């Protein structure tokens, strides 16, 4: 599986993170996490992504939720 699938696999098993809120976008060796999430969900997604053995460089680009 590619880096996107590997990171998503970690995120979907992380309690407190919705796959609907977090998007994974790899580009030139950097994996970006995008989405509108609360701080707790962002931190959980980052920790989950870091567990992926395929991850080289992670750049979280989250914003707060939009109401």
């Amino acid at each position: 599986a590619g880096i996107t699938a590997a990171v998503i696999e970690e995120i979907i098993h992380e309690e407190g993170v919705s796959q609907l809120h977090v998007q994974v976008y790899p580009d030139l060796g950097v994996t970006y996490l995008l989405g509108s999430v609360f701080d707790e969900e962002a931190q959980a997604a980052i920790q989950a992504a870091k567990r992926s053995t395929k991850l080289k460089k992670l750049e979280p680009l989250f914003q707060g939720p939009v109401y």
Side-chain angles (χ1 to χ4, degrees), residues 2-4 6 8 15 17 23-24 29 33 36 38-39 43 45 47 51-52 56-58 61 66:
I3 184 65
T4 303
I8 290 172
E15 187 173 326
V17 180
Q23 292 130 12
V24 179
L33 298 180
S36 295
F38 289 106
D39 288 339
Q43 291 304 315
Q47 292 305 312
R51 285 197 300 268
S52 174
K56 293 179 182 172
K57 182 174 180 184
L58 180 67
L61 300 174
V66 178

Side-chain angles (χ1 to χ4, degrees), residues 8-46:
I8 290 172
E9 181 73 20
E10 293 294 338
I11 288 173
I12 63 173
H13 289 97
E14 183 70 23
E15 187 173 326
V17 180
S18 170
Q19 186 182 2
L20 299 175
H21 298 161
V22 178
Q23 292 130 12
V24 179
Y25 177 76
D27 187 41
L28 300 173
V30 179
T31 301
Y32 297 92
L33 298 180
L34 309 159
S36 295
V37 295
F38 289 106
D39 288 339
E40 298 83 15
E41 189 172 13
Q43 291 304 315
I46 291 166

